Amino acid sequence: LIVSMPIRMEDGSVKVFKGIRVQHNNARGPYKGGIRYHPNVTVEEVTALAMLMTWKCAVADLPYGGAKGGVVCNPKEMTKTELERLTRRYTSMIYELIGPLVDIPAPDVYTDSQTMAWIMDTYSQMKGYQVPEVVTGKPVSLLGSLGRNEATSRGVAISVRETAKHLNKPLKDAKIAIQGFGNVGGYAAQILHEMGAKIVAVSDSKGGIYLPDGLNPYSVMEHKNRAGSVVGFDGAKTISNEELLTLKCDFLIPAALENQITAANAERIQATAIVEGANGPTTPEADKILHERGVLVVPDILANAGGVTVSYLEWVQNLKRETWTLDEVNSKLESKIVSAYSSVVQTARKYEVSLRDGAMLLAVGRVAEAIKLLGIWP
Ligand code: GLU
């Protein structure tokens, strides 16, 4: 569904924004997937991301299909009121498409728990009663789940830990470079730092910083909140996003946008393993080069499945009108990711393919089985 949304801006003018929601497959359950606000959003991108959600939910063995939403806008140049109007208008225009048992949105690039609260309120106002389970990633005080904010990052960190085990390498003092310091990269740096790893470099859209002895990600977060970017962090060397990707390190975590590791830089990647925090950060051409060079790639549909996993836990809590403790949420997340990781490794070993192909075989197999068993109606 593509919608045109007229929004009244602060200066009194009216701007028309393009909104998109793509539903890919619902054989295993309701459509599920985030909504991103970004100037480069296109129908093709959202479609690809919707398909990735189908495979991700299947790999994590969640009872969901895949969807994605997007609005072409630059949230950095908009006021909070403009973003609220845009979100409410978008919700009202995709209203017929979404619903707690139909299609459940969530946060993605440049959307957050406040965005989800507006979606929940708009949908609920239109229904006439409160429907928290129509959206996940809500604020904790508005029926969101404890641990949802950091869930994608926690899943990425667990994937890094499992990869270290898989490679027979200690996680302690492992050198980690992270591209992106937002919803995913920011908390992943903190959780991995807590696990004993060394965060040697991080970046955001304005550039990167490098400190071979390891950065304190909490201080970097404070600096970013103050200065608007990680760049300029005291004592660290300034590097470009491109330099970050090709740094010598144990784990490289692309946690920004898609198509970052390409045929143009894949030859120069020096990391032992890449753990994909973002969706689609590696192009198929780069994937092939990395595979030939023996760089292990832990694919997005496994590595970043922590977010949608806790979205599922939030949805179940909402449907049951229950609230679980952080320990309960985190231990369910942990077991889901560890079991998905081991199923992917087993599938890859069985067919002698990469982890990405193993994850795809597992995911497509599960979806195909559901489609076959459902049969054709009538
Ligand atoms: N946007 C996140 C993702 O790409 C989360 C989706 C969700 O929780 O539904 O996985």
Side-chain angles (χ1 to χ4, degrees):
L1 177 69
I2 303 174
V3 297
S4 287
M5 304 176 286
I7 305 296
R8 199 171 305 282
M9 308 302 282
E10 294 305 358
D11 65 3
S13 67
V14 172
K15 240 181 156 168
V16 181
F17 292 88
K18 180 176 177 174
I20 300 158
R21 183 78 184 166
V22 175
Q23 297 175 333
H24 175 255
N25 184 283
N26 67 348
R28 289 174 45 90
Y31 299 104
K32 185 87 190 80
I35 294 170
R36 67 170 56 180
Y37 287 177
H38 196 276
N40 299 341
V41 162
T42 61
V43 178
E44 290 76 13
E45 180 200 38
V46 178
T47 306
L49 293 167
M51 181 173 73
L52 279 182
M53 286 309 300
T54 301
W55 310 141
K56 192 185 300 183
C57 293
V59 165
D61 207 8
L62 304 172
Y64 287 138
K68 199 81 172 194
V71 175
V72 187
C73 66
N74 189 351
K76 286 182 180 168
E77 285 173 2
M78 295 170 71
T79 65
K80 197 169 172 183
T81 321
E82 288 168 346
L83 285 169
E84 177 174 355
R85 284 194 204 116
L86 178 73
T87 303
R88 290 187 182 280
R89 180 72 190 221
Y90 175 68
T91 308
S92 77
M93 292 186 85
I94 64 164
Y95 175 79
E96 299 291 342
L97 229 62
I98 59 174
L101 301 173
V102 185
D103 183 353
I104 306 119
D108 197 78
V109 174
Y110 294 143
T111 55
D112 57 16
S113 58
Q114 173 64 80
T115 325
M116 301 306 118
W118 290 329
I119 295 177
M120 166 182 159
D121 185 60
T122 308
Y123 188 87
S124 300
Q125 295 289 347
M126 290 176 77
K127 276 276 169 208
Y129 51 90
Q130 203 177 53
V131 194
E133 55 277 7
V134 68
V135 69
T136 57
K138 298 178 293 291
V140 172
S141 52
L142 257 186
L143 296 142
S145 175
L146 288 167
R148 175 63 185 86
N149 244 351
E150 321 84 68
T152 311
S153 317
R154 191 166 297 280
V156 169
I158 295 170
S159 296
V160 171
R161 191 196 63 206
E162 293 303 297
T163 308
K165 266 191 223 160
H166 183 71
L167 293 170
N168 250 327
K169 272 183 153 227
L171 183 57
K172 172 127 187 50
D173 290 331
K175 291 195 174 75
I176 302 190
I178 306 180
Q179 186 202 34
F181 209 67
N183 285 348
V184 182
Y187 293 118
Q190 294 179 354
I191 297 168
L192 285 162
H193 175 78
E194 297 296 334
M195 288 177 167
K198 241 188 217 171
I199 312 302
V200 294
V202 298
S203 69
D204 56 34
S205 60
K206 301 206 171 82
I209 52 174
Y210 175 52
L211 191 66
D213 287 341
L215 296 154
N216 178 330
Y218 294 95
S219 316
V220 177
M221 185 81 93
E222 268 170 39
H223 171 80
K224 181 171 165 107
N225 288 342
R226 225 177 324 128
S229 167
V230 298
V231 178
F233 182 72
D234 209 21
K237 189 182 160 208
T238 304
I239 55 171
S240 66
N241 263 293
E242 191 60 29
E243 283 169 320
L244 181 138
L245 294 175
T246 53
L247 277 180
K248 193 161 171 51
C249 60
D250 298 300
F251 297 96
L252 170 64
I253 306 178
L257 293 168
E258 56 268 21
N259 300 337
Q260 298 301 302
I261 302 169
T262 65
N265 59 17
E267 291 287 358
R268 286 179 286 120
I269 302 273
Q270 298 189 70
T272 310
I274 296 174
V275 179
E276 296 184 331
N279 290 315
T282 312
T283 66
E285 298 77 27
D287 212 35
K288 193 161 170 270
I289 297 170
L290 294 167
H291 188 63
E292 282 161 10
R293 291 187 52 224
V295 180
L296 185 69
V297 180
V298 185
D300 45 10
I301 57 174
L302 168 63
N304 73 33
V308 71
T309 298
V310 178
S311 274
Y312 162 70
L313 300 176
E314 178 175 329
W315 182 70
V316 173
Q317 288 173 78
N318 292 163
L319 289 168
K320 294 170 83 175
R321 295 297 186 264
E322 281 184 10
T323 324
W324 300 344
T325 63
L326 181 59
D327 280 349
E328 225 172 323
V329 171
N330 281 346
S331 83
K332 287 189 164 83
L333 167 64
E334 163 87 26
S335 63
K336 274 276 183 204
I337 300 295
V338 169
S339 112
Y341 198 101
S342 109
S343 305
V344 168
V345 169
Q346 277 171 31
T347 313
R349 280 206 185 122
K350 183 170 162 198
Y351 295 98
E352 294 177 11
V353 293
S354 67
L355 290 184
R356 187 181 319 276
D357 288 352
M360 284 300 286
L361 280 162
L362 185 67
V364 177
R366 284 177 175 166
V367 174
E369 189 181 340
I371 292 173
K372 260 193 210 152
L373 290 170
L374 286 167
I376 295 172
W377 186 93

